[in-house]
Amino acid sequence: MDQMNDNFLRHQTGFFAGHNIENWVWDQFNKSPDIQLSPDLENAYFYIDPVYNSTGTAGVRGTKGFTEGEHYWEVTFLEPPNGTSVMIGVGTEKAGLHTGDYRFVDLLGIDRESWGLSYRGDLWHDGMCQEFCAPMFHRAVIGCHLNLYKGTLAYYQDGHQLGVAFTGLNNLSMPLYPMVSSTATETELGLGKRSCRYLSLQEKCYQAIKNSLRCSSEDEVDNLPLPKTMKTFIKEF
């Protein structure tokens, strides 16, 4: 069993149980001209011209934008990352996908339209950077867990949780798309497992009750005139 499948099964037995498989791919119509996609649109190849090296920063987004639900996907470094920037994250439809004129930048997070993690271990959003994890100088499987009920984006590396990187993503008026970018010649990024989960009507009711509470503390939930089992579920939101 390959590493991506093994990682995904470990998630399925734990936190990601109940997810359904998704089949979105990289968008051939929303990408930098310096990216070529595999026939199945799951692998992205950056700056592979045999004559010219990288002349800027190239990005591509997924074919599906997310407005609600929990979404998980994996991006594999098919070759060890290098160069100024290789990034994985999310962005709105307004997020930039290309810079030329030898502008080598951290594209995801360069403005307010995108959020990204660099292989150097830094998080970027709105042009601001902060340290998040150790650099990744080897082939790795990077998992992204976007929870639009809580408004969070968390990352995983080879099945191990790195933590929540961004919050407040449930306050946007536009869909969020998976994105990757790179400045480096011959970067190769592959899509792995993709899954999603949406709340049932019952779970949405629990969430609405929790959101209606003034401070959402466990004590306040305990004071509700509801069965103990329902209170336990409400506390999970």
Side-chain angles (χ1 to χ4, degrees):
M1 180 180 295
D2 64 40
Q3 186 179 28
M4 285 192 295
N5 285 335
D6 183 54
N7 287 339
F8 187 73
L9 287 176
R10 271 184 279 159
H11 292 320
Q12 289 288 69
T13 60
F15 185 78
F16 293 106
H19 275 220
N20 297 312
I21 301 299
E22 287 201 303
N23 295 304
W24 57 266
V25 291
W26 296 127
D27 192 338
Q28 60 184 320
F29 303 110
N30 285 284
K31 68 177 185 66
S32 164
D34 291 315
I35 294 176
Q36 292 190 26
L37 301 178
S38 60
D40 62 6
L41 305 180
E42 292 189 351
N43 295 339
Y45 306 104
F46 297 72
Y47 302 104
I48 60 174
D49 190 292
V51 177
Y52 299 101
N53 289 326
S54 170
T55 57
T57 311
V60 61
R61 76 185 192 203
T63 53
K64 184 174 182 179
F66 307 131
T67 57
E68 69 167 322
E70 291 184 50
H71 303 270
Y72 176 79
W73 64 96
E74 292 177 341
V75 176
T76 302
F77 295 134
L78 300 175
E79 295 293 337
N82 64 87
T84 300
S85 177
V86 180
M87 304 190 75
I88 298 170
V90 297
T92 72
E93 60 187 18
K94 294 182 179 180
L97 297 172
H98 179 80
T99 67
D101 300 323
Y102 297 93
R103 292 180 59 211
F104 304 107
V105 300
D106 291 289
L107 188 62
L108 304 188
I110 196 171
D111 56 25
R112 300 182 66 179
E113 302 298 333
S114 58
W115 297 254
L117 170 65
S118 165
Y119 83 100
R120 296 179 179 273
D122 298 323
L123 297 175
W124 284 86
H125 174 60
D126 199 13
M128 302 184 67
C129 169
Q130 68 179 67
E131 185 177 335
F132 179 65
C133 64
M136 311 165 201
F137 295 119
H138 58 279
R139 291 188 181 96
V141 178
I142 306 302
C144 304
H145 178 220
L146 178 64
N147 187 335
L148 290 175
Y149 297 120
K150 295 183 177 181
T152 58
L153 175 61
Y155 287 98
Y156 293 75
Q157 181 178 350
D158 297 324
H160 301 286
Q161 188 174 23
L162 296 176
V164 172
F166 300 105
T167 60
L169 299 178
N170 53 345
N171 298 321
L172 305 176
S173 59
M174 292 184 288
L176 284 175
Y177 295 82
M179 293 182 66
V180 292
S181 69
S182 177
T183 62
T185 300
E186 297 184 349
T187 298
E188 299 182 11
L189 300 176
L191 266 180
K193 298 296 183 180
R194 286 140 279 166
S195 68
C196 66
R197 177 180 180 272
Y198 295 94
L199 293 182
S200 66
L201 179 58
Q202 183 181 51
E203 289 172 318
K204 288 182 177 180
C205 291
Y206 291 149
Q207 184 184 48
I209 294 171
K210 182 70 172 289
N211 291 341
S212 70
L213 300 178
R214 285 175 295 179
C215 62
S216 298
S217 67
E218 290 197 3
D219 288 342
E220 194 170 6
V221 174
D222 286 332
N223 290 330
L224 292 173
L226 297 171
K228 184 177 180 180
T229 302
M230 292 182 65
K231 293 178 185 179
T232 300
F233 283 119
I234 293 170
K235 290 177 182 178
E236 293 179 358
F237 289 93

